[in-house]
């Protein structure tokens, strides 16, 4: 065998006549006895052997759903009892093997394992540590699907664990619940199993673990535990488990291990940084014999954290994000980099879909190489590729020009390796030339720029776009017109999307049914949803959004400057995937987008019908956004488009208009020094959309699954008439801000039940939640509603849950009336 290399054999069909095109045959030691072949005259005269060394390339992580959402469908089939655990595991195994082989074939040297998950990587860590909350009745042993999915989704008797946003992304993780009495046991051997699985395929991988400090900093005190309890106090306890895991990985033959510590990019306090140093110092002896990579991403690493990381003796490499970390290169230049350690340079964007500017990235790498040394620089992605779509090859409907500007996860793997080869002196000139041509095409394309839109957006900067009348006076005017009861009930927007409904939309898009047939089918669905809400006695209705595939894509399809994919799915949480639109140019609204359906729905009922829109900040944050101008400029353009839609809805007689800003908190920068600027333009963008409506038009907004307490004053500054906001899944965390004295004068509907769980709450449970709200909020501003839209639920769950919600509201109304 020849040093464990893969070999590329160049076979010239006509002897040594190199005028003929060579045939390339890739072989490895296991399939080709090169020593024997080398002794033959045939090989001497007619073959050339070149060892294919893997360049210094690395991928932080990879999408787990599959190119056609194979995992999503396998999970949902399993949850519905239509397939077995073995069936689910088979799909998962096939996906993992395919991903590893893809990266190996692309020439990636440091291939990650344990980045696959059946639901969430933080939940996987909770399972590894055996940190199962008591309510799930875990009794020990290897954690199976029953316990695992109960924690993620809840079950008939107990609610799910809290779910919130993963840093500033649209991915959601399951929040660990910890307390001083939490018992930790090594209860999931997934990391070791998947490493062994890859090794059996002949692929050496780098097992990836959520780092112990990040895990604890993302945790929350369990229910009943003092809020002052610090999960960091459990560091010593969980390090015992980490030592067991690393010992098993070492015994299995692992040579590298990656600890993801993204919290290091945040503004940590000194004791938190000390915990990081303490953790890896304590792990040092256990990690002896392993190369250790500390991976950071999503922002610049602050100087103090950089100093702490690079000072560690027991680590071999540091991963830095040079895309969102715009000051990282300067930091490395000024602070230097420790001799003998590897720098994993994240120069390929893991969070957007634009093709890398290879020439620019190569320049950055060469600047780093001068500091780090030629043999100590590894080309990497800025973060896991799970935040991008999977493979551009699957996109058959994107036009060729836009497609040439893009790179999905599979293409980014190729970009990483191309940069690594170029850095090693093996630059693929043709690949770099094609990339340069695509970059030039995008900059000069007339499709990108609309001067009229740019002028209109620029003119916005002279005003703060506030409604003239204060919210208290507006609410009085609205109540006179709407005549709602106290504790008015509503839902957030969407109703269940049945298979029949999805089929109708697909058939219409494929021109298999006429527009008349499509409108008739959607009208029937809206009528059904309206009648159901009237039967349930809900006060403010929604039309259920049957015509919409996604709350962002639906609008993007009707706005200029957007492009769309067929299979550009990205995981949001669990089996839930979204297909973000691509904003490639200036944005405008050619015609009305929702007025037809809203007018139709309002004509079916005498009750107020909400016009449903997605706000500009959410459209921005849930799209793949152009990177050739500041994000706020694009957001202002979207705000102007939504403003026109709001005014058209009002003119059509819609008295309640909801402008969802579910992703406003998600876009908040991780560093405090950058947050005020973001909140200023994000809140301003929302106000632009509705600044011109009459006092009697009630403007709602909705937010979900983030920590809102730290931006409550910005939420108030949005100046919406009513805000509905997720509350129950996060164990009523939102209410604490009002207990602490924040005064809120507008209408507010903290969610009374979690729609991301199949569990149906009782009337008593919901009434108890409402009473907790009434303890901190005025009766006349409180609304009753679910946490979020009902799109992902089934009617068999929605009907009883909403029945109980309305019954709880009526019960409280009766109780409140009797106390007057």
């Amino acid at each position: 065998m020849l040093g464990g290399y893969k070999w590329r054999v160049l076979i010239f069909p006509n002897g040594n006549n190199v005028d003929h095109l060579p045939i390339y045959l890739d072989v490895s030691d296991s399939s080709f006895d090169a020593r024997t072949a080398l002794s033959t005259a045939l090989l001497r005269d007619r073959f050339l052997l070149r060892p294919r060394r893997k360049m210094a390339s690395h991928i932080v992580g990879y999408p787990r759903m599959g190119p056609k959402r194979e995992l999503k469908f396998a999970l949902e089939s399993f949850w519905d009892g239509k397939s077995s655990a073995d069936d689910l595991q088979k799909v998962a195994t096939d996906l993992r093997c395919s991903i590893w082989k893809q990266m190996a074939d692309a020439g990636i040297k440091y291939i990650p394992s344990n980045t696959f998950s059946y639901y969430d990587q933080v939940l996987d860590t909770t399972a590894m540590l055996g940190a199962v909350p008591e309510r799930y009745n875990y009794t020990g042993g290897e954690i199976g699907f029953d316990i695992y999915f109960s924690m993620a989704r809840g079950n008939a008797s107990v609610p799910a664990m809290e779910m919130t946003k993963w840093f500033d992304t649209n991915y959601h993780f399951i929040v660990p619940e910890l307390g001083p009495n939490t018992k930790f046991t090594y209860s999931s051997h997934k990391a070791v199993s998947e490493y062994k699985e890859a090794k059996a395929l002949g692929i050496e991988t780098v097992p990836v673990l959520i780092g112990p400090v990040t895990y604890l900093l993302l945790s929350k005190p369990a229910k009943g535990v003092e809020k002052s309890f610090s999960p960091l106090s459990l560091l010593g306890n969980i390090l015992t488990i980490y030592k067991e895991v690393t010992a098993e990985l070492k015994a299995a033959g692992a040579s590298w291990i990656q600890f993801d510590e993204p919290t290091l990019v945040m503004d940590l306090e000194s004791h938190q940084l000390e915990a990081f140093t303490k953790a890896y110092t304590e792990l040092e002896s256990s990690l002896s014999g392993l190369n250790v990579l500390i991976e950071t991403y999503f922002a610049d690493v602050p100087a103090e954290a950089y100093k702490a990381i690079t000072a560690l003796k027991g680590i071999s490499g540091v991963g830095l994000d040079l895309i969102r970390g715009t000051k990282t290169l300067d930091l490395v230049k000024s602070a230097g980099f420790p001799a003998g350690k590897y720098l994993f340079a994240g120069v390929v964007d893991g969070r957007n879909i634009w093709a890398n500017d290879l020439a620019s990235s190569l320049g950055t790498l060469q600047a780093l190489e001068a500091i780090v040394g030629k043999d100590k620089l590894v080309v990497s992605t800025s973060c896991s590729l799970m935040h991008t779509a999977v493979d551009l090859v699957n996109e058959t409907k994107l036009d060729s020009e836009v497609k040439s500007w893009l790179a999905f996860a599979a293409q980014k793997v190729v970009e990483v390796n191309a940069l690594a080869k170029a850095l090693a002196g093996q630059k693929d000139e043709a690949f770099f030339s094609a990339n340069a041509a695509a970059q030039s095409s995008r900059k000069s394309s007339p499709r990108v720029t609309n001067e009229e839109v740019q002028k209109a957006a620029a003119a916005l900067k002279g005003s703060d776009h506030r409604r003239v009348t204060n919210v208290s006076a507006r609410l009085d005017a609205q109540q006179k017109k709407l005549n709602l009861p106290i504790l008015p009930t509503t839902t957030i927007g969407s109703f269940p999307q049945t298979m029949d409904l999805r089929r109708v939309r697909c058939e219409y898009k494929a021109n298999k049914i006429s527009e008349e047939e499509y409108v008739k089918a959607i009208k029937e669905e809206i009528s059904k949803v309206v009648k159901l809400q009237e039967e349930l006695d809900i006060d403010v209705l929604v039309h259920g959004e049957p015509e919409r595939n996604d709350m962002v894509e639906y609008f993007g399809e009707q706005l200029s400057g957007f492009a769309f994919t067929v299979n550009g799915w990205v995981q949001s949480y669990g089996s839930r995937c979204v297909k973000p639109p691509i904003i490639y140019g200036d944005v405008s609204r050619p015609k009305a987008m929702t007025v037809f359906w809203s007018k139709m729905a309002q004509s079916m009922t005498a009750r107020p019908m909400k016009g449903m829109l997605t706000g500009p900040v959410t459209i921005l944050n849930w799209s793949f956004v152009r990177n050739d101008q500041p994000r706020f400029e694009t957001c202002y353009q979207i705000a102007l488009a939504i403003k026109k839609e709001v005014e058209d809805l009002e003119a059509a007689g819609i008295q309640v208009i909801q402008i969802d800003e579910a992703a406003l908190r998600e876009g908040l920068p991780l560093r405090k020094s950058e947050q005020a600027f973001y909140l200023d333009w994000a809140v301003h963008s929302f106000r632009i959309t509705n600044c011109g409506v009459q006092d009697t038009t009630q403007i709602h907004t909705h937010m979900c699954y983030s920590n809102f307490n730290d931006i409550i004053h910005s939420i108030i500054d949005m100046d919406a008439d009513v805000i509905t906001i997720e509350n129950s899944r996060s164990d009523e965390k939102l209410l604490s801000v009002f207990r602490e004295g924040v005064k809120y004068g507008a209408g507010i509907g903290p969610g009374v039940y979690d729609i991301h769980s199949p569990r149906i709450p009782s009337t008593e449970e919901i009434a108890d939640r409402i009473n907790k709200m009434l303890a901190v909020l005025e009766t006349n501003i409180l609304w009753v509603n679910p946490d979020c839209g009902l799109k992902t639920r089934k009617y068999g769950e929605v009907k009883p849950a909403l029945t109980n919600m309305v019954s709880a509201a009526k019960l409280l109304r009766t109780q409140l009336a009797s106390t007057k």
Side-chain angles (χ1 to χ4, degrees):
M1 302 300 174
L2 297 176
Y5 294 138
K6 283 196 173 183
W7 293 74
R8 172 156 285 188
V9 181
L10 285 77
I11 306 174
F12 293 100
N14 188 21
N16 288 331
N17 184 352
V18 293
D19 292 332
H20 287 74
L21 291 175
I23 299 168
Y24 291 89
L25 173 65
D26 288 340
V27 295
S28 64
D29 289 352
S30 60
S31 61
F32 187 80
D33 190 338
R35 288 176 297 181
T36 302
L38 280 168
S39 67
T40 68
L42 177 65
L43 184 63
R44 281 198 312 271
D45 295 339
R46 305 181 70 173
F47 287 29
L48 291 174
L49 279 177
R50 295 177 183 170
R52 296 183 67 204
R53 289 181 181 272
K54 288 185 181 294
M55 297 297 122
S57 51
H58 168 250
I59 305 297
V60 176
Y62 200 82
R64 54 183 71 130
M65 279 290 128
K68 299 289 181 66
R69 295 181 292 163
E70 291 87 346
L71 182 60
K72 168 191 172 65
F73 299 121
L75 282 166
E76 292 173 357
S77 176
F78 174 70
W79 293 336
D80 288 343
K82 297 176 181 176
S83 59
S84 67
D86 287 343
D87 295 329
L88 175 57
Q89 289 167 337
K90 174 66 166 58
V91 171
T93 299
D94 290 346
L95 283 172
R96 288 193 297 268
C97 293
S98 173
I99 291 166
W100 292 326
K101 288 177 179 178
Q102 175 189 342
M103 284 191 257
D105 290 345
I108 300 300
K109 183 174 183 179
Y110 301 105
I111 297 170
S113 61
N114 198 40
T115 56
F116 173 86
S117 178
Y118 285 102
Y119 204 96
D120 164 52
Q121 67 268 21
V122 180
L123 182 61
D124 291 349
T125 309
T126 294
M128 180 185 82
L129 297 170
V132 181
E134 289 184 6
R135 64 182 177 275
Y136 300 107
N137 297 319
Y138 169 62
T139 57
E142 190 79 4
I143 289 176
F145 283 155
D146 284 351
I147 294 292
Y148 182 85
F149 288 130
S150 289
M151 290 192 288
R153 307 176 70 238
N155 58 41
S157 57
V158 292
M161 296 168 69
E162 180 183 351
M163 181 172 69
T164 196
K165 297 292 176 72
W166 175 246
F167 295 86
D168 58 348
T169 75
N170 186 31
Y171 177 76
H172 304 65
F173 74 95
I174 303 297
V175 181
E177 301 173 14
L178 306 177
N181 298 320
T182 300
K183 295 178 181 178
F184 299 99
T185 57
Y186 187 11
S187 302
S188 171
H189 294 67
K190 176 179 174 292
V192 179
S193 297
E194 290 185 13
Y195 171 78
K196 289 179 176 178
E197 184 178 49
K199 192 168 185 177
L201 297 171
I203 300 172
E204 182 60 30
T205 61
V206 179
V208 179
L209 301 175
I210 298 291
V213 177
T214 288
Y215 178 79
L216 291 175
L217 290 178
L218 294 178
S219 302
K220 70 173 187 177
K223 197 167 185 176
V225 174
E226 291 292 329
K227 298 299 181 186
S228 60
F229 170 75
S230 171
L232 266 185
S233 64
L234 300 171
L235 182 60
N237 304 48
I238 71 168
L239 288 180
T240 301
I241 311 301
Y242 275 88
K243 289 174 183 177
E244 290 185 63
V245 178
T246 55
E248 278 200 15
L249 286 169
K250 192 165 23 173
S255 58
W256 278 85
I257 186 169
Q258 175 179 318
F259 290 98
D260 281 7
E261 290 283 10
T263 52
L264 286 170
V265 305
M266 303 183 76
D267 298 304
L268 299 183
E269 297 176 14
S270 58
H271 76 279
Q272 295 169 325
L273 273 180
E274 288 166 6
F276 170 78
T277 301
K278 176 184 175 183
Y280 289 94
T281 301
E282 185 171 332
L283 286 172
E284 187 175 337
S285 59
S286 301
L287 295 171
S288 177
L290 283 169
N291 291 293
V292 177
L293 168 62
I294 303 296
E295 184 65 51
T296 69
Y297 38 79
F298 297 150
D300 290 296
V301 175
E304 286 302 309
Y306 181 79
K307 183 178 178 181
I309 301 168
T310 54
L312 288 173
K313 295 179 181 178
I315 70 166
S316 308
V318 179
L320 300 174
D321 182 344
L322 285 107
I323 300 296
R324 298 228 165 193
T326 55
K327 301 172 185 174
T328 295
L329 179 59
D330 290 337
L331 176 64
V332 176
K333 285 179 177 178
S334 61
F337 194 80
K341 286 185 169 57
Y342 292 86
L343 195 160
F344 287 68
V347 293
V348 173
D349 195 348
R351 289 184 58 175
N352 215 329
I353 43 67
W354 302 108
N356 189 274
D357 185 338
L358 296 178
S360 175
S361 294
L362 185 57
T364 299
L365 291 165
Q366 289 167 337
L368 287 169
E369 187 180 54
I371 303 166
V372 177
K374 193 172 186 65
D375 297 329
K376 295 298 180 182
L377 186 63
V378 180
V379 182
S380 185
T381 53
S382 64
C383 62
S384 172
L385 296 175
M386 66 180 285
H387 306 291
T388 66
V390 180
D391 195 342
L392 197 56
V393 170
N394 296 320
E395 298 307 323
T396 56
K397 295 187 178 180
L398 273 173
D399 71 78
S400 58
E401 183 182 33
V402 172
K403 195 171 182 178
S404 73
W405 302 341
L406 308 179
F408 291 179
Q411 288 69 47
K412 289 176 186 292
V413 169
V414 175
E415 289 179 338
V416 167
N417 199 52
L419 286 165
K421 287 173 67 178
L423 197 63
Q426 299 178 29
K427 185 178 178 182
D428 185 334
E429 295 292 351
F431 189 73
F432 269 69
S433 294
N435 175 266
Q439 299 291 325
S440 176
S441 162
R442 185 179 165 211
K443 288 176 183 176
S444 61
S445 174
R447 302 170 65 179
V448 172
T449 305
N450 182 324
E451 289 187 10
E452 184 179 339
V453 171
Q454 290 190 349
K455 287 178 182 177
L460 294 171
K461 297 170 186 176
S463 168
D464 64 2
H465 296 90
R466 292 183 182 275
R467 294 172 76 178
V468 176
T469 311
N470 67 44
V471 68
S472 178
R474 298 198 308 262
L475 288 174
D476 286 344
Q478 292 156 14
Q479 178 58 16
K480 288 176 184 176
K481 193 168 187 179
L482 298 173
N483 194 29
L484 298 172
I486 61 168
L487 306 181
T489 54
T490 190
T491 63
I492 304 306
S494 61
F495 264 65
Q497 297 253 328
T498 63
M499 291 301 295
D500 286 343
L501 190 54
R502 295 176 193 272
R503 177 184 52 76
V504 166
R505 286 204 307 265
C506 287
E507 288 178 350
Y508 179 58
K509 275 196 169 185
N511 295 317
K512 293 181 179 179
I513 60 173
S514 67
E515 182 173 0
E516 183 180 351
E517 290 171 310
Y518 173 71
V519 170
K520 180 183 178 184
I522 298 299
K523 183 177 181 180
E524 288 174 356
E525 181 69 19
I526 292 173
S527 177
K528 182 178 77 172
V529 169
V530 170
K531 287 177 181 176
L532 173 61
Q533 292 172 93
E534 288 184 327
E535 290 168 5
L536 294 170
D537 205 15
I538 292 173
D539 300 304
V540 176
L541 311 189
V542 298
H543 76 290
E545 305 176 10
E547 79 283 10
R548 304 185 189 184
N549 44 9
D550 175 82
M551 64 182 288
V552 173
E553 186 176 20
Y554 176 79
F555 290 94
E557 285 175 339
Q558 301 180 78
L559 296 169
S560 65
F562 283 75
F564 303 90
T565 64
V566 175
N567 288 298
W569 298 99
V570 179
Q571 184 183 18
S572 179
Y573 63 87
S575 68
R576 168 79 168 144
C577 298
V578 293
K579 190 150 55 74
I582 298 164
I583 305 177
Y584 67 83
D586 291 331
V587 177
S588 61
R589 187 199 73 147
K591 61 181 181 180
M593 301 179 285
T594 66
V595 175
F596 175 78
W597 300 114
S598 292
K599 280 183 68 177
M600 176 189 290
Q602 184 63 81
S603 71
M604 297 175 180
T605 181
R607 302 187 185 207
M609 173 65 62
K610 285 196 279 191
M612 299 299 304
L613 304 175
T614 302
V617 184
T618 296
I619 290 176
L620 183 87
N621 286 336
W622 285 357
S623 297
F624 290 125
V625 183
R626 58 191 293 190
N627 58 0
D628 59 345
Q629 70 177 16
R631 289 172 70 88
F632 71 85
E633 291 186 12
T634 303
C635 198
Y636 283 159
Q637 293 176 2
I638 302 170
L640 284 174
I642 299 301
K643 181 176 187 290
K644 291 180 180 179
E645 190 71 13
V646 169
E647 291 167 355
D648 282 354
L649 282 169
E650 184 182 54
I654 305 301
Q655 301 175 59
V656 182
I657 302 171
Q658 182 168 307
I659 309 166
D660 285 346
E661 285 295 13
L664 188 138
R665 173 61 174 79
E666 175 185 310
L668 187 71
L670 300 177
R671 304 292 292 280
K672 293 176 183 176
S673 61
E674 301 168 7
Q675 291 176 356
F677 176 67
Y678 166 78
L679 289 169
D680 180 66
W681 63 256
V683 169
H684 186 192
S685 296
F686 176 82
R687 289 201 305 262
I688 288 167
T689 64
N690 61 88
C691 61
V693 301
Q694 299 175 25
D695 287 354
T696 51
T697 298
Q698 189 167 85
I699 298 296
H700 288 224
T701 190
H702 171 68
M703 296 181 179
C704 57
Y705 300 104
S706 286
N707 181 10
F708 301 105
N709 294 24
D710 55 348
I711 64 163
I712 190 65
H713 294 290
S714 294
I715 292 173
I716 294 171
D717 199 37
M718 292 170 71
D719 200 28
D721 296 311
V722 178
I723 179 170
T724 52
I725 194 163
E726 179 271 324
N727 171 68
S728 61
R729 178 87 186 232
S730 60
D731 199 24
E732 300 161 354
K733 187 191 300 179
L734 171 71
L735 299 185
S736 65
V737 75
F738 302 112
R739 295 188 189 102
E740 292 162 6
V742 170
K743 299 297 181 184
Y744 193 77
I748 184 167
V752 297
Y753 81 89
D754 175 23
I755 65 87
H756 288 299
S757 170
R759 181 174 171 272
I760 299 166
S762 67
T763 298
E764 293 73 22
E765 180 182 333
I766 295 175
D768 181 60
R769 285 193 187 277
I770 298 172
N771 271 320
K772 289 179 181 177
M773 297 170 191
L774 288 170
V776 293
L777 294 166
E778 296 295 328
T779 306
N780 64 331
I781 66 169
L782 188 62
W783 285 63
V784 178
N785 47 262
D787 265 355
C788 203
L790 304 170
K791 175 180 179 179
T792 61
R793 301 265 55 90
K794 297 179 174 62
Y795 273 104
E797 300 159 347
V798 166
K799 289 179 183 178
L802 291 180
T803 297
N804 293 346
M805 183 188 83
V806 173
S807 296
K810 289 181 176 180
L811 176 65
L812 268 295
R813 288 172 193 161
T814 302
Q815 292 176 358
L816 289 168
S818 67
T819 59
K820 287 184 178 179

